[in-house]
């Protein structure tokens, strides 16, 4: 089945210790997104890639970076996680022709 | 005013009841409307997608869009305990970005 896969599902890191979350997709979609979702809140878009073009949201902290080495993979790097970065991180994809976004299962990040 | 308003209050209904959820929006550029279901600690799952005013049915689910009133609804008929989840409305203007509502937590009581 075509899908969006995120690894790891759960990540525990220490305050200030860099962490990388990964996302892969078999849908062959042009667009990949990273969202942050905190408890009882809507997903908040951090950035997205349209093919190789990177689009950062204006209010995304510099602490968050992303890489998309190829169509299938996208990474979220948090350079110096703070306690406020503890959240669910969601990867999503969409085709350029359609607007539905398909989400992965998420990575729950805990910062100690 | 937020782009998308969704009353986040939890909703408890008995099994078999009709669940009615709605969102309002302010941006006339929104042309695409979605409902996502999100189980606890999981990613959102696309339930319904529509781009025109009117009703769209899929099994027990009906999505309704009224562009003139900037109002969308989701109805779940014959609700089941497995429908217990958070339901998020989302809408887009075709520029690869979605605006989400805060979500409604629904509990279906057996």
């Amino acid at each position: 089945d075509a899908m969006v896969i995120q690894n790891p599902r759960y990540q525990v890191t220490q305050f200030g210790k860099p962490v990388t979350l990964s996302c892969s997709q078999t849908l062959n979609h042009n667009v990949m997104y990273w969202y942050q979702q905190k408890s009882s809140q809507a997903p908040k878009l951090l950035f997205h890639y349209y093919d190789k073009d990177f689009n950062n949201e204006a209010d995304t902290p510099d602490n968050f970076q992303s890489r998309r080495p190829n169509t299938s993979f996208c990474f979220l790097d948090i350079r110096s996680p703070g306690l406020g970065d503890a959240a669910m991180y969601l990867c999503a994809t969409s085709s350029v022709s359609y607007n539905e976004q398909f989400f992965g299962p998420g990575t729950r990040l805990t910062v100690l | 005013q937020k782009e998308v308003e969704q009353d986040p209050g939890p909703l408890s209904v008995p099994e078999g009841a009709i669940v009615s959820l709605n969102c309002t929006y302010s941006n006339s550029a929104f042309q695409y409307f979605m409902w996502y279901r999100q189980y606890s600690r999981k990613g959102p799952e696309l339930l319904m997608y529509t781009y025109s005013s009117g009703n769209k049915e899929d099994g027990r689910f009906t999505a309704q869009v009224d562009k003139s009133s900037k109002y969308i609804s989701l109805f779940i008929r014959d609700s089941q305990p497995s429908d217990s989840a958070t339901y998020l409305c989302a809408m887009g203007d075709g520029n690869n970005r979605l605006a989400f509502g805060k979500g409604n937590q629904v509990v279906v009581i057996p």
Side-chain angles (χ1 to χ4, degrees):
Chain A
D1 283 343
M3 54 198 307
V4 182
I5 301 160
Q6 290 188 245
N7 284 302
R9 293 293 313 279
Y10 300 91
Q11 176 74 58
V12 180
T13 190
Q14 291 180 330
F15 183 95
K17 186 173 181 181
V19 66
T20 294
L21 311 181
S22 76
C23 176
S24 63
Q25 54 129 342
T26 60
L27 297 159
N28 204 31
H29 282 167
N30 304 85
V31 193
M32 294 186 77
Y33 307 80
W34 280 106
Y35 289 88
Q36 179 192 67
Q37 187 180 30
K38 296 189 175 180
S39 183
S40 302
Q41 295 184 20
K44 178 182 182 301
L45 183 63
L46 296 173
F47 23 60
H48 74 278
Y49 277 92
Y50 185 132
D51 292 325
K52 286 190 176 291
D53 292 334
F54 177 70
N55 298 272
N56 199 27
E57 294 301 297
D59 58 354
T60 299
D62 292 340
N63 199 24
F64 292 87
Q65 305 283 318
S66 185
R67 297 169 281 137
R68 188 179 185 185
N70 55 51
T71 302
S72 301
F73 283 87
C74 197
F75 299 97
L76 170 62
D77 300 308
I78 308 176
R79 293 193 296 188
S80 182
L83 298 178
D85 296 328
M88 173 80 93
Y89 289 88
L90 296 164
C91 174
T93 73
S94 72
S95 166
V96 68
S97 305
Y98 300 95
N99 289 268
E100 311 105 298
Q101 293 184 16
F102 297 90
F103 285 83
T107 295
R108 180 162 293 279
L109 177 68
T110 299
V111 181
L112 300 177
Chain B
Q1 182 189 11
K2 292 192 174 181
E3 280 193 306
V4 180
E5 299 278 359
Q6 181 179 11
D7 182 356
L11 183 64
S12 290
V13 299
E15 184 174 354
I18 295 175
V19 175
S20 174
L21 306 170
N22 57 74
C23 290
T24 59
Y25 63 96
S26 56
N27 188 345
S28 299
F30 288 145
Q31 297 295 322
Y32 308 96
F33 306 92
M34 283 141 273
W35 285 95
Y36 286 88
R37 176 175 62 195
Q38 187 172 23
Y39 291 113
S40 181
R41 297 178 178 268
K42 299 284 171 70
E45 171 196 5
L46 182 65
L47 262 185
M48 301 287 284
Y49 169 73
T50 184
Y51 52 86
S52 56
S53 280
N55 293 350
K56 180 177 181 179
E57 277 194 27
D58 184 359
R60 297 184 295 111
F61 299 91
T62 299
Q64 191 175 76
V65 174
D66 183 345
K67 289 186 180 180
S68 62
S69 300
K70 297 190 180 65
Y71 187 92
I72 69 170
S73 299
L74 178 70
F75 301 98
I76 308 173
R77 288 185 300 280
D78 187 25
S79 56
Q80 305 294 309
S82 59
D83 295 326
S84 298
T86 296
Y87 291 81
L88 295 153
C89 64
M91 42 201 84
D93 58 8
N95 287 325
N96 298 313
R97 292 159 87 249
L98 295 181
F100 284 87
K102 281 191 169 183
N104 272 121
Q105 185 181 4
V106 172
V107 177
V108 180
I109 303 165

